[in-house]
């Protein structure tokens, strides 16, 4: 691969005023996309009740966006390189706004998931266009600053999502978490026409890699489907009927649809890698440039980004459900607790560039991930149905501080040795890895939460000992299927519901069981963050031997 021969940071030409205004416009578009990946979480308990969703539906509302996002990012990045990054950015914003409008008027689980798919398509075109435009527009010290801004937006706005979602859901309706995108998107489109310059890459290889797109979509979709549907359909033997497009997979089948879908996904991803290498050998255009992974900072940086995203985005699925259903906070209250992450992320993100000047970007990433892993682990240890929301907010602020440090510097570190000609593929690959991690995070931690609820809720109700086994099992199933929403209903009834005087005691037992399952999920998230910390340590050692941009 050709290493970037751009001028050194001290001699590189400085960006003009239009470039910085363009960065602001791109950052606004990026903010809209990033917020939408996390804004749904805190509103999810309300959406579950309003549309009658179950836990599997709730996971798909979160994951459908990320799955489609991940499946299309590589292709979108390649198209941006070939046809123009600004053009793809505008197309992505338009599609994203269409998906937002569909979500705002959705009246069923299927309609909402479909709208999230459309949003994911739009987001897949927006994200790589912003990062590759930054990489192609800025040089030297300006590139370092621009990457820091991009990273701070990723971390900070992801943390702002829950607060914004809580506010809109509390004072208006959950539908406004999607409607708010419309005026913002229109402003971004106008700003793009006025301030963002068009950039392209000189791609000489012929052809569009349609086969690679299909293989990657089938592969990512199969794996994520297996992780999300395993608990409801059965990990090996069928426990319920699976129907799609008029075809039913019966309970009498010898094997569940889950391992079949997972195997198809793994095979498709393997064929995808083989196919991409083949296209590179014969000189055809490929959506994945495997030669990029020969660069140590790129390969280890992406591994770090994957494991970290699993922990970060999985946490944003389970925490809002716990705060609203088990702890009994309002949607706004949950948003305020989670907003502590945003305060920590923005504060540390602003200081990350100065800290990186002292320690170096890789060491700043290490420090950030250490704070993230420690913050989540401590939150898990203190978690209970009676924990103080203020204590959780303080601990989440520590986690947010780590989030700001790591995200602000990881992006620039991963792409530091990627030439402008490869920036589209490099940024799209990194974004794909992050979105794949987001989808895996929701799927893995959602599965851990579901499995934990099945065991912990039963144990807690057995300890109460006032319910016959059929009634207890019915409560466990209702709580798990409603993602904890049944607890809120029982809490509102008090001792006047069908459980009578045992109602408050049963509600407490279910809340503690939900807290137990959430604690396990958070410890798994901390484990993934720790893996990211180990990978970042290796990245630090490799970056010392790799020349920077």
């Amino acid at each position: 691969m050709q290493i970037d021969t751009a001028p050194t940071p001290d001699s590189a030409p400085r960006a003009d005023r239009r470039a910085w205004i363009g960065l602001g416009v791109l950052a606004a578009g990026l903010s809209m996309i990033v917020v939408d990946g996390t804004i749904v979480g805190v509103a999810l308990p309300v959406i579950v009740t309003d549309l009658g969703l179950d836990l599997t539906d709730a996971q798909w509302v979160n994951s459908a966006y990320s799955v489609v996002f991940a499946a299309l990012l590589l292709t979108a990045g390649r198209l941006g390189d070939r046809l123009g990054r600004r053009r793809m950015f505008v197309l992505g914003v338009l599609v994203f706004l269409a998906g937002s409008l569909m979500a705002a008027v959705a009246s069923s689980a299927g309609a909402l998931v479909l709208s999230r798919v459309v949003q994911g398509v739009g987001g897949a075109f927006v994200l790589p266009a912003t990062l590759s435009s930054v990489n192609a527009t800025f040089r030297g010290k300006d590139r370092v600053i621009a990457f820091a801004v991009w990273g701070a937006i990723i971390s900070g706005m992801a943390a702002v999502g829950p607060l914004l979602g809580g506010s809109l859901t509390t004072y208006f309706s959950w539908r406004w978490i999607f409607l708010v995108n419309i005026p913002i998107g229109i402003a971004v489109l106008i700003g793009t026409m006025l301030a963002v310059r068009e950039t392209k890459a000189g791609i000489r290889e012929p052809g569009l890699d349609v086969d690679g797109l299909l293989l990657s979509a089938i592969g990512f979709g199969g794996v994520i489907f297996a992780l999300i549907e395993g608990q409801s359909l059965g990990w090996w033997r069928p426990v319920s009927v699976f129907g799609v497009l008029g075809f039913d997979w019966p309970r009498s089948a010898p094997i569940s649809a889950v391992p079949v879908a997972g195997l198809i996904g793994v095979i498709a991803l393997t064929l995808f890698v083989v196919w991409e290498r083949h296209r590179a050998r014969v000189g055809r255009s490929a959506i994945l440039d495997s030669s990029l992974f020969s660069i140590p900072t790129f390969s280890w940086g992406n591994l770090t980004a994957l494991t970290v995203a699993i922990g970060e985005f999985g946490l944003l699925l389970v925490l809002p459900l716990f705060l609203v259903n088990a702890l009994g906070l309002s949607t706004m209250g949950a948003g305020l607790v989670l907003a502590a992450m945003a305060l920590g992320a923005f504060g540390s993100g602003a200081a990350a560039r100065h800290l990186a000047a002292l320690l170096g970007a890789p060491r700043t990433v290490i420090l950030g991930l250490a704070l993230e892993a420690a913050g989540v682990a401590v939150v898990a240890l203190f978690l209970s149905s009676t924990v103080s929301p203020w204590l959780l907010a303080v601990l989440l602020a520590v986690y947010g501080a780590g989030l700001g440090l790591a995200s602000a510097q990881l992006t620039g570190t991963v792409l530091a040795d990627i030439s402008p000609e490869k920036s589209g593929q490099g940024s799209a690959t990194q974004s794909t890895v992050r979105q794949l991690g987001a989808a895996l995070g929701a799927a893995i931690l959602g599965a851990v939460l579901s499995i934990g609820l099945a065991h912990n809720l039963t144990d807690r109700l057995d300890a109460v000992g006032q319910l016959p086994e059929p009634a207890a099992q019915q409560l466990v199933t209702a709580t798990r299927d409603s993602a904890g929403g049944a607890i809120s209903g029982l809490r509102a009834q008090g001792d006047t519901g069908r459980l009578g005087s045992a109602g408050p005691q049963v509600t407490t037992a279910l809340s503690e069981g939900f807290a137990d399952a959430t604690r396990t999920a958070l410890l798994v998230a901390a484990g993934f963050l720790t893996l990211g910390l180990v990978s970042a340590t290796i990245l630090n050692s490799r970056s010392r031997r790799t020349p920077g941009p």
Side-chain angles (χ1 to χ4, degrees):
M1 136 139 207
Q2 178 184 357
I3 299 298
D4 188 2
T5 56
T8 62
D10 291 330
S11 63
R14 303 305 299 267
D16 60 12
R17 182 169 175 267
R18 182 181 175 184
W20 289 111
I21 295 175
L23 175 63
V25 173
L26 293 172
L30 176 65
S31 298
M32 185 174 62
I33 300 303
V34 172
V35 165
D36 214 73
T38 60
I39 196 173
V40 174
V42 73
L44 202 53
V46 177
I47 298 174
V48 165
T49 302
D50 193 27
L51 298 185
L53 310 186
D54 58 24
L55 180 56
T56 299
D57 293 331
Q59 286 177 268
W60 274 117
V61 169
N62 267 315
S63 293
Y65 182 74
S66 299
V67 169
V68 176
F69 216 145
L72 294 180
L73 272 171
L74 290 172
T75 299
R78 193 63 167 170
L79 286 175
D81 287 346
R82 183 183 292 273
L83 302 177
R85 290 146 185 160
R86 186 180 75 165
R87 183 175 300 168
M88 290 299 103
F89 179 78
V90 170
L91 175 62
V93 171
L94 288 172
V95 174
F96 182 82
L97 293 183
S100 297
L101 191 58
M102 290 172 59
V105 299
S107 58
S108 67
L112 184 57
V113 171
L114 177 61
S115 67
R116 295 288 281 166
V117 168
V118 176
Q119 284 187 305
V121 173
F125 282 92
V126 169
L127 189 60
T130 61
L131 187 53
S132 55
S133 293
V134 169
N135 201 37
T137 301
F138 295 92
R139 294 289 181 273
K141 292 180 178 179
D142 288 342
R143 179 189 278 188
V144 173
I145 297 172
F147 273 146
V149 170
W150 195 92
I153 289 294
I154 285 284
S155 59
M157 297 311 294
V160 161
L163 176 60
L164 183 60
S167 302
L168 292 173
T169 302
T170 299
Y171 297 115
F172 299 97
S173 160
W174 65 263
R175 299 182 186 277
W176 274 95
I177 67 178
F178 301 111
L179 285 174
V180 74
N181 292 326
I182 307 301
I184 297 174
I186 292 173
V188 167
L189 289 172
I190 295 172
T192 302
M193 295 296 107
L194 297 176
V196 178
R197 293 186 174 98
E198 184 65 281
T199 60
K200 297 181 181 179
I203 299 177
R204 293 181 294 273
E205 299 88 350
L208 290 175
D209 189 6
V210 178
D211 294 334
L213 168 63
L214 293 175
L215 286 171
S216 63
I218 293 171
F220 290 141
V223 171
I224 301 299
F225 173 89
L227 289 170
I228 290 179
E229 297 287 349
Q231 187 67 20
S232 60
L233 296 180
W235 291 103
W236 186 253
R237 297 298 300 272
V239 297
S240 62
V241 176
F242 169 62
V244 60
L245 300 177
F247 171 77
D248 287 337
W249 192 290
R251 289 188 62 180
S252 58
I255 188 173
S256 169
V258 169
V260 175
L263 180 61
I264 290 173
V266 171
I267 293 174
L269 289 177
T270 303
L271 291 176
F272 169 68
V273 174
V274 173
W275 176 250
E276 296 306 291
R277 289 180 175 177
H278 165 72
R279 288 185 67 90
R281 283 197 303 270
V282 300
R284 303 284 291 177
S285 176
I287 61 175
L288 177 66
D289 186 351
S290 57
S291 67
L292 293 176
F293 288 92
S294 64
I295 304 172
T297 50
F298 188 79
S299 57
W300 284 105
N302 274 294
L303 180 59
T304 302
L306 175 66
T307 53
V308 168
I310 291 174
E312 291 175 351
F313 284 87
L315 176 140
L316 289 174
L317 169 70
V318 300
L319 263 185
L321 295 174
F322 165 78
L323 292 172
V324 173
N325 293 327
L327 201 57
L329 299 182
S330 66
T331 306
M332 185 62 190
L336 288 172
V337 171
L338 295 173
M341 294 189 297
L343 293 176
F346 276 126
S348 63
R353 183 167 64 91
H354 303 290
L355 191 60
L358 296 174
L359 302 178
R363 289 182 178 176
T364 304
V365 172
I366 290 174
L367 176 60
L369 290 180
L371 286 174
E372 282 193 64
V376 174
V378 174
V379 168
L381 293 177
F382 279 95
L383 208 67
S384 72
S385 64
T386 57
V387 65
S388 167
W390 291 105
L391 175 60
L392 288 181
V394 171
L395 296 176
L396 288 173
V398 174
Y399 164 79
L403 181 68
L405 291 177
S407 295
Q409 295 302 315
L410 182 57
T411 299
T413 303
V414 173
L415 297 179
D417 304 318
I418 303 299
S419 68
E421 288 297 303
K422 298 285 188 179
S423 64
Q425 280 204 309
S427 60
T429 302
Q430 189 221 23
S431 300
T432 297
V433 167
R434 181 175 176 82
Q435 287 304 315
L436 178 59
L440 287 172
I444 293 173
L445 265 72
V448 171
L449 179 66
S450 181
I451 294 170
L453 289 174
H455 292 86
N456 297 126
L457 293 175
T458 301
D459 292 343
R460 290 288 183 173
L461 287 179
D462 286 345
V464 173
Q466 296 188 24
L467 296 173
E469 185 175 344
Q473 191 55 47
Q474 184 180 14
L475 281 171
V476 169
T477 301
T479 302
R480 190 180 68 185
D481 288 348
S482 65
I487 302 176
S488 298
L490 290 173
R491 183 181 294 111
Q493 294 174 8
D495 57 5
T496 62
R498 59 187 177 87
L499 296 177
S501 60
Q505 194 173 0
V506 170
T507 301
T508 299
L510 292 175
S511 297
E512 283 294 346
F514 202 100
D516 294 338
T518 304
R519 184 182 307 111
T520 302
L522 292 185
L523 289 174
V524 171
F528 278 106
L529 291 171
T530 302
L531 289 176
L533 176 60
V534 173
S535 179
T537 303
I538 299 174
L539 169 64
N540 177 51
S541 65
R542 297 299 179 92
S543 66
R544 296 171 185 170
R545 297 178 230 137
T546 307

